[in-house]
């Protein structure tokens, strides 16, 4: 204990240093990363978007970033399973804090998110977003597409989110359809996994339904995704309601018949061949959670996203 410190999120002198906070104490950033808005020499940025005004059922995902950060304290800076490495030893990572939104003027929300996301991405850093409802992915896709062109969308979700929409509406159930119409995503390279509902249109996007996920091995699912996407720049989004409510009850629109957290984590672990340009975890609503089950699942998925990025960087840096 003599050399241990606390509140690494505000006292860290290096963006690659390990924290020694007790799991039950200290300032809660994501995985104890330093809170800062400085983007120089940063490899990866984690930030939150506490927004849930686009939900069609139960609200509460605005508290998702807080819950995911809190749950991430269980990652105590041992080599992270299953990556067998300190994710941050060679990947300078910060917690950028949250996107400031006017809760009384939702019309400004999309542009505010897009503008701040674009500012982060201009630094060259990888951006991992903690939602928030799934609408937030739409302005984030706009910011990424401005850099990369149309992206392959890899979406883990119980819902297609391709419902018809009117210009200007803010709706978490239509962002994929809007992204397809606006050319933000390459529909020929995009794929949705875990779908357990039917929308009026599918926008031509490949789907792996919930019952197929149940019948397929994780390796088969990952191989299907990789073959479909190829080497195209990819945006990876995980709606926590992709998981069965038995594993993620804390969400706004739960749908029975989904996969376990173990199954989806196993699939994610096998996606290292993808060129993932950005990612998010959305729809964690802690008011409906039990014993932080959903928050822990969301934090673990986010950690896997950073693990994949750490491996990607290590491979390219030799």
């Amino acid at each position: 204990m003599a050399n241990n410190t606390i509140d690494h999120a505000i006292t860290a002198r290096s963006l690659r240093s390990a924290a020694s906070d007790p799991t039950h104490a200290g300032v809660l950033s994501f995985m104890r990363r330093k809170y800062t808005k400085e983007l120089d020499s940063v490899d990866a940025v984690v930030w939150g978007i506490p927004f849930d005004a686009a939900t069609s059922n139960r609200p509460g995902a605005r508290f998702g970033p807080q819950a995911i950060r809190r749950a991430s304290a269980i990652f105590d800076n041992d080599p992270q399973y299953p990556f067998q490495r300190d994710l941050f030893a060679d990947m300078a990572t910060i917690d950028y804090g949250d996107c400031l939104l006017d809760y009384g003027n939702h019309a400004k929300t999309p542009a505010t998110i897009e503008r701040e996301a674009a500012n982060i991405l201009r630094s060259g850093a990888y951006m991992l977003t903690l939602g928030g409802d799934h609408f937030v992915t739409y302005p984030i896709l706009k910011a990424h597409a401005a850099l990369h062109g149309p992206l392959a969308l890899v979406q883990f979700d119980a819902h297609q989110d391709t419902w018809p929409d009117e210009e200007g509406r803010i709706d978490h159930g239509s962002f994929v359809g809007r992204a397809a119409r606006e050319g933000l995503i390459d529909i020929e390279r995009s794929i949705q996994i875990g779908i357990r509902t039917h929308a009026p249109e599918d926008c031509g996007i490949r789907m792996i339904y919930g019952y197929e996920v149940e019948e397929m091995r994780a390796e088969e699912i990952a191989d299907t995704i990789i073959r479909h996407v190829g080497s195209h720049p990819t945006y990876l989004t995980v709606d926590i309601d992709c998981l069965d409510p038995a594993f993620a009850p804390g969400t706004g629109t739960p749908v029975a018949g989904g996969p376990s957290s173990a199954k989806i984590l196993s699939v994610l672990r096998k996606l290292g061949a993808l060129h993932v340009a950005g990612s998010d975890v959305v729809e964690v609503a802690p008011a409906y959670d039990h014993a932080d089950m959903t928050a822990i699942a969301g934090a673990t998925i986010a950690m896997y996203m950073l693990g994949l990025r750490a491996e990607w960087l290590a491979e390219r840096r030799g």
Side-chain angles (χ1 to χ4, degrees):
M1 290 291 292
N3 296 320
N4 286 0
T5 60
I6 197 168
D7 298 327
H8 187 269
I10 56 175
T11 62
R13 296 183 178 180
S14 169
L15 302 184
R16 294 182 172 87
S17 61
S20 55
D21 298 58
T23 305
H24 59 274
V27 175
L28 291 171
S29 62
F30 184 77
M31 292 183 71
R32 308 289 189 177
R33 292 303 88 202
K34 185 176 179 64
Y35 270 124
T36 180
K37 300 291 187 184
E38 296 297 323
L39 294 167
D40 292 342
S41 302
V42 171
D43 295 315
V45 170
V46 183
W47 74 319
I49 304 182
F51 177 79
D52 64 5
T55 53
S56 55
N57 192 29
R58 304 188 300 196
R62 68 180 62 187
F63 298 107
Q66 289 181 353
I68 293 171
R69 286 185 174 107
R70 185 177 66 251
S72 76
I74 63 173
F75 303 120
D76 57 3
N77 291 292
D78 290 333
Q80 294 302 325
Y81 173 85
F83 297 96
Q84 298 183 319
R85 66 171 67 219
D86 175 350
L87 303 187
F88 309 118
D90 298 303
M91 183 174 70
T93 303
I94 66 169
D95 190 322
Y96 191 80
D98 287 344
C99 184
L100 178 61
L101 300 171
D102 183 350
Y103 66 85
N105 191 341
H106 299 312
K108 292 183 177 181
T109 294
T112 301
I113 295 171
E114 182 183 354
R115 183 169 57 249
E116 193 151 0
N119 178 61
I120 293 169
L121 293 174
R122 275 194 297 272
S123 73
Y126 178 87
M127 189 172 73
L128 165 60
T129 302
L130 311 177
D133 69 44
H134 219 161
F135 174 80
V136 305
T137 303
Y138 168 67
I140 293 171
L141 281 172
K142 292 182 74 173
H144 279 86
L147 288 177
H148 301 285
L151 296 137
L153 181 68
V154 175
Q155 176 186 357
F156 290 81
D157 206 322
H159 308 88
Q160 296 170 247
D161 296 334
T162 55
W163 283 82
D165 203 355
E166 298 173 6
E167 187 67 30
R169 287 188 72 252
I170 296 177
D171 186 342
H172 72 160
S174 59
F175 85 92
V176 175
R178 187 180 297 184
R181 290 191 297 273
E182 294 181 10
L184 305 178
I185 61 174
D186 182 344
I187 61 173
E188 297 297 326
R189 295 289 186 181
S190 296
I191 186 166
Q192 299 173 318
I193 303 96
I195 302 300
R196 304 189 295 283
T197 54
H198 294 296
E201 57 181 325
D202 59 21
C203 297
I205 296 172
R206 169 84 162 88
M207 282 183 286
I208 302 178
Y209 284 105
Y211 70 88
E212 295 176 292
V213 171
E214 179 68 18
E215 295 167 356
M216 297 170 71
R217 292 181 294 110
E219 185 175 3
E220 294 176 278
I221 298 168
D223 184 61
T224 300
I225 295 168
I226 292 168
R227 284 189 288 106
H228 188 74
V229 172
S231 60
H232 203 75
T234 300
Y235 190 84
L236 174 61
T237 179
V238 177
D239 185 326
I240 205 69
D241 73 22
C242 177
L243 303 182
D244 191 88
F247 303 94
T251 191
T253 315
V255 182
S260 69
S261 51
K263 182 75 167 278
I264 293 305
L265 289 170
S266 184
V267 175
L268 290 173
R269 182 66 186 95
K270 295 172 172 62
L271 296 182
L274 295 182
H275 173 200
V276 180
S279 59
D280 64 50
V281 183
V282 297
E283 299 284 359
V284 172
Y288 316 109
D289 208 358
H290 301 287
D292 289 338
M293 290 168 57
T294 313
I296 291 169
T300 307
I301 289 167
M303 182 271 284
Y304 271 53
M305 291 172 170
L306 289 180
L308 290 172
R309 184 64 178 183
E311 289 185 334
W312 189 87
L313 285 175
E315 181 180 332
R316 277 146 188 81
R317 290 172 175 173

